[in-house]
Amino acid sequence: MKSYRKVMTFHTESRRAFINITPRIRECLYESGIKEGLLLCNPLHITASIFINDDEAGLHEDFEVFLEKLAPEKPYSQYRHNSYEDNADAHLKRTLMGREVVVAVTEGDLDLGTWEQIFYGEFDGRRPKRILIKIIGE
Amino acid sequence: MKSYRKVMTFHTESRRAFINITPRIRECLYESGIKEGLLLCNPLHITASIFINDDEAGLHEDFEVFLEKLAPEKPYSQYRHNSYEDNADAHLKRTLMGREVVVAVTEGDLDLGTWEQIFYGEFDGRRPKRILIKIIGE
Amino acid sequence: MKSYRKVMTFHTESRRAFINITPRIRECLYESGIKEGLLLCNPLHITASIFINDDEAGLHEDFEVFLEKLAPEKPYSQYRHNSYEDNADAHLKRTLMGREVVVAVTEGDLDLGTWEQIFYGEFDGRRPKRILIKIIGE
């Protein structure tokens, strides 16, 4: 069994952002040399998400509206977590979007559907944050 | 390490449906011959979900009400994604239900609790859609 | 390839509870002797969740409010599932929080970010319930 590990850093200018990281994840897989296995990708932070969906700007605006409806950022005072912080909503938004994805590795490539794209979802940005890629297989 | 891959197709008559796929996943596992490992199951589409819950019709109606409350299908015009499509709600519903499940494989069987059943959740059906089963182990 | 399996039981006094299980998961990993691989942790029940977030009491109160807003416990009669049961909301809450986590194993330890803590989320407690830890790797 082979294993591979990589950490990448993102620093968004806005509080919230969606970044398509599929090409960078694919590069990691190629670098690993693993042909058959499983790939895990997760943030090393609890106010960000790795998720799979469509790379379509309209949908990303819909996600923003959806997340603000279910877990609004403001007023900050509505959350107990916000006594020293202002990011309680980011913890909830990341929960709705999910923490991690596990992707099959087949014949040395990401085994994704036609429209499946892997995203880094940032909900409390404007500072450097890291994600982990771990691949095991052969 | 052994690995196994299978794709299955579903074509529901309704826009939304929940299908218990546990027996079919178990058949894949038996076919793989893998005794100890991890099984990943995910749709190859971004408007469907694989999730684990109870095979109880009342609960499935509750899920429908719950999802329609949090991410209503109509009016279609409420979503930016719906300029050429009408399925933005399906992307959101699948996000709430989750994309994938990872299940332990132990002594050649799915290592599930008594009431855990694996479902294909369709949120934009009436056309053929595929799911992936990937198993790694020994 | 090595594999490891452990089941743990929890019995909460309240209907809902969040329990930080990171130290117990780490003990399992040490016991397994696995140095590189993937760790899966999931409940063997469908009204509980394993999730990763912050060990901060204010945030846990925010989760309670958030979950009660999106999937309220009462009135029980609002759910079809509740003809013989009263726990439909617990199925929905667990869906929002997610079923399982997959964590990378690197150099014999859990490969988590600074603030990532693994929680057992109970939404229908006051009886014994079990979780599964499965680790594969080398």
Side-chain angles (χ1 to χ4, degrees), chain B residues 67-86:
Chain B
L67 293 170
E68 270 293 281
K69 187 179 80 174
L70 302 190
E73 179 186 337
K74 297 173 186 175
Y76 296 127
S77 62
Q78 75 191 290
Y79 300 112
R80 298 281 180 103
H81 182 61
N82 286 346
S83 46
Y84 298 95
E85 310 232 34
D86 70 359

Side-chain angles (χ1 to χ4, degrees), chain C residues 76-130:
Chain C
Y76 296 127
S77 61
Q78 75 190 292
Y79 299 111
R80 298 281 179 102
H81 182 62
N82 286 346
S83 47
Y84 299 95
E85 309 233 35
D86 70 358
N87 66 0
D89 71 297
H91 291 270
L92 303 179
K93 288 180 169 97
R94 111 70 174 262
T95 299
L96 289 166
M97 298 302 288
R99 171 184 177 255
E100 80 230 4
V101 296
V102 178
V103 176
V105 173
T106 301
E107 297 181 3
D109 216 334
L110 300 171
D111 200 339
L112 295 172
T114 312
W115 302 101
E116 285 194 296
Q117 296 289 312
I118 309 172
F119 284 88
Y120 175 67
E122 175 65 84
F123 305 109
D124 185 30
R126 294 176 295 200
R127 52 200 172 103
K129 291 172 79 172
R130 293 170 306 134

Side-chain angles (χ1 to χ4, degrees), chain B:
Chain B
M1 200 200 78
K2 288 165 98 167
S3 74
Y4 171 92
R5 178 186 194 265
K6 181 84 138 203
V7 171
M8 282 180 199
T9 302
F10 294 93
H11 192 147
T12 63
E13 286 179 23
S14 54
R15 183 177 171 109
R16 289 192 285 279
F18 297 135
I19 301 169
N20 187 337
I21 59 173
T22 319
R24 297 186 66 180
I25 303 289
R26 189 173 280 118
E27 278 171 35
C28 291
L29 177 56
Y30 293 167
E31 189 177 86
S32 76
I34 292 172
K35 302 298 181 193
E36 296 292 326
L38 293 177
L39 180 151
L40 167 70
C41 184
N42 63 267
L44 291 164
H45 301 264
I46 49 190
T47 52
S49 176
I50 303 293
F51 68 94
I52 288 181
N53 220 303
D54 201 355
D55 196 353
E56 199 277 305
L59 183 66
H60 296 182
E61 292 180 46
D62 295 332
F63 272 125
E64 166 68 15
V65 172
F66 168 74
L67 293 170
E68 270 293 281
K69 187 179 80 174
L70 302 190
E73 179 186 337
K74 297 173 186 175
Y76 296 127
S77 62
Q78 75 191 290
Y79 300 112
R80 298 281 180 103
H81 182 61
N82 286 346
S83 46
Y84 298 95
E85 310 232 34
D86 70 359
N87 66 1
D89 71 298
H91 290 270
L92 302 180
K93 287 179 170 97
R94 111 69 174 263
T95 300
L96 289 166
M97 298 303 287
R99 169 185 179 255
E100 79 228 5
V101 295
V102 178
V103 175
V105 173
T106 302
E107 296 180 3
D109 216 335
L110 300 172
D111 201 338
L112 294 172
T114 311
W115 302 102
E116 285 194 296
Q117 296 288 313
I118 308 172
F119 285 89
Y120 175 66
E122 175 63 85
F123 305 109
D124 184 31
R126 296 177 294 200
R127 53 198 171 103
K129 291 173 77 172
R130 294 169 306 133
I131 69 164
L132 173 69
I133 297 103
K134 185 90 185 189
I135 316 173
I136 68 168
E138 274 187 352

